């Protein structure tokens, strides 16, 4: 595992150098979904600090068993009835994929008197199989999310298209960055800080396109068994 972590770290540094960015501008989220608690513990001992999970019950069960210092991010589609498993324990929820989910989170947060930091997921790949707000509506929905009490939108998230071709993938990431730029006149900087984009196959390109958070699973922990 140590070697895999070093390799990913080197790639992140290389992408930062190539795009004239500082290493500290990009946060590595280690995606540990489906992986056992023992492996997360090992990764923690090897210096990884932030972990991403995508299933609500699995997330809730793992959080209880691991060091409280871990920073947990939730990156998967969240059903409204599972908000209670996730919102109180995560530092950042990357996957607000509809205004309705944002409203339900807001109600939960107000009731519990907590603040939930979130990103809005945008379906830049325009794939029917993907969650996320459609790009045409994204600016409007995001501004509405920014007006809800109890949630703190910090930026945008996307999953690149399932293709091999660099140009096509980078175009989706560039679109997310441009969407953020288009919102600058209307929103405070605090709502526009983060661009969560890039997974094992494409995080290098995502950093070149301005990603501030890469979500990397397979390249760190090996392939997942399909469940
Ligand atoms: C699983 C997952 C990842 C990590 O994917 P890898 O290809 O294993 O790096 C990143 N983001 C989301 C939303 C995921 O569901």
């Amino acid at each position: 595992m140590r070697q895999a972590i070093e390799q990913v770290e080197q790639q992140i540094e290389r992408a930062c150098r190539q795009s004239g960015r500082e290493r500290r501008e990009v946060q590595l989220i280690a995606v540990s979904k489906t992986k056992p608690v023992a492996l997360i513990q090992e990764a923690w001992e090897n210096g990884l600090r932030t972990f991403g999970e995508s299933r609500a019950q699995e997330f809730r069960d793992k959080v209880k068993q691991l060091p409280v210092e871990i920073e947990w991010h939730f990156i998967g589609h969240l059903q409204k009835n599972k908000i209670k498993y996730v919102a109180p324990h995560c530092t950042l929820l990357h996957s607000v994929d509809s205004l309705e989910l944002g409203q339900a989170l807001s109600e939960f947060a107000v009731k519990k008197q907590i603040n939930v930091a979130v990103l809005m997921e945008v379906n830049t790949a325009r794939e029917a199989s993907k969650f996320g707000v459609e790009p045409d509506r994204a600016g409007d929905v995001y501004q509405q999310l920014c007006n809800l009490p109890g949630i703190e939108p910090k930026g945008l998230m996307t999953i690149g298209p399932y293709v091999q071709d660099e140009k096509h993938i980078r175009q989706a990431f560039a679109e997310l960055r441009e969407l953020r730029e288009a919102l600058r006149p209307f929103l405070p900087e605090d709502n526009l800080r983060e661009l969560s984009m890039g997974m094992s196959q494409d995080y290098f390109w995502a950093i070149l396109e301005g990603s501030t958070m890469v979500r990397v699973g397979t390249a760190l922990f090996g392939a997942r068994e399909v469940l």
Side-chain angles (χ1 to χ4, degrees):
M1 179 188 302
R2 194 182 292 268
Q3 205 180 348
I5 296 173
E6 264 168 36
Q7 255 169 27
V8 169
E9 187 52 46
Q10 281 168 12
Q11 286 289 89
I12 294 174
E13 284 170 19
R14 196 163 69 84
C16 286
R17 267 199 309 279
Q18 199 168 312
S19 50
R21 306 178 63 201
E22 304 275 346
R23 171 64 187 87
R24 61 181 161 75
E25 294 173 39
V26 181
Q27 189 179 4
L28 171 61
I29 318 298
V31 176
S32 50
K33 65 187 184 202
T34 81
K35 298 293 181 185
V37 164
L39 181 128
I40 302 174
Q41 182 71 40
E42 188 188 343
W44 166 261
E45 282 156 17
N46 278 286
L48 295 180
R49 287 293 168 264
T50 309
F51 293 85
E53 288 282 336
S54 65
R55 291 163 199 189
Q57 280 108 328
E58 180 185 342
F59 172 75
R60 176 195 59 181
D61 294 341
K62 283 173 165 175
V63 167
K64 287 187 230 164
Q65 301 174 58
L66 284 152
V68 293
E69 297 84 2
I70 286 187
E71 182 176 318
W72 292 103
H73 290 204
F74 193 82
I75 63 174
H77 176 62
L78 182 60
Q79 291 169 292
K80 287 183 217 155
N81 61 350
K82 294 183 181 153
I83 287 174
K84 58 182 180 289
Y85 300 152
V86 171
H89 308 292
C90 74
T91 303
L92 183 65
L93 201 156
H94 290 229
S95 42
V96 175
D97 51 16
S98 68
L99 183 59
E100 293 69 33
L101 177 61
Q103 286 163 336
L105 273 166
S106 168
E107 281 170 31
F108 178 87
V110 168
K111 198 166 72 193
K112 297 283 175 192
Q113 297 185 298
I114 58 174
N115 280 310
V116 185
V118 302
L119 306 178
M120 186 182 79
E121 179 171 354
V122 183
N123 186 4
T124 56
R126 294 175 173 76
E127 286 169 5
S129 60
K130 285 199 165 82
F131 291 104
V133 178
E134 295 310 310
D136 292 349
R137 298 180 54 234
D140 185 40
V141 173
Y142 193 65
Q143 291 189 64
Q144 293 187 58
L145 290 174
C146 289
N147 285 323
L148 294 173
I151 62 170
E152 295 177 352
K154 301 289 184 190
L156 306 172
M157 179 272 224
T158 200
I159 299 175
Y162 287 124
V163 294
Q164 301 296 321
D165 147 57
E166 173 177 352
K167 196 169 148 224
H168 188 168
I169 294 173
R170 288 184 64 165
Q171 209 162 14
F173 295 151
E175 183 174 359
L176 199 72
R177 186 189 65 231
E178 286 156 12
L179 181 60
R180 178 176 68 167
E181 295 319 306
L183 286 165
R184 282 208 190 280
F186 308 105
L187 291 169
E189 167 63 21
D190 192 52
N191 291 133
L192 300 168
R193 261 180 232 295
E194 308 295 349
L195 289 178
S196 168
M197 51 192 203
M199 311 185 2
S200 292
Q201 295 306 318
D202 52 23
Y203 67 91
F204 188 87
W205 296 327
I207 294 169
L208 299 186
E209 296 295 345
S211 174
T212 66
M213 294 182 164
V214 291
R215 309 177 309 267
V216 180
T218 308
L220 292 167
F221 304 131
R224 286 175 297 274
E225 285 175 43
V226 184
L227 293 180

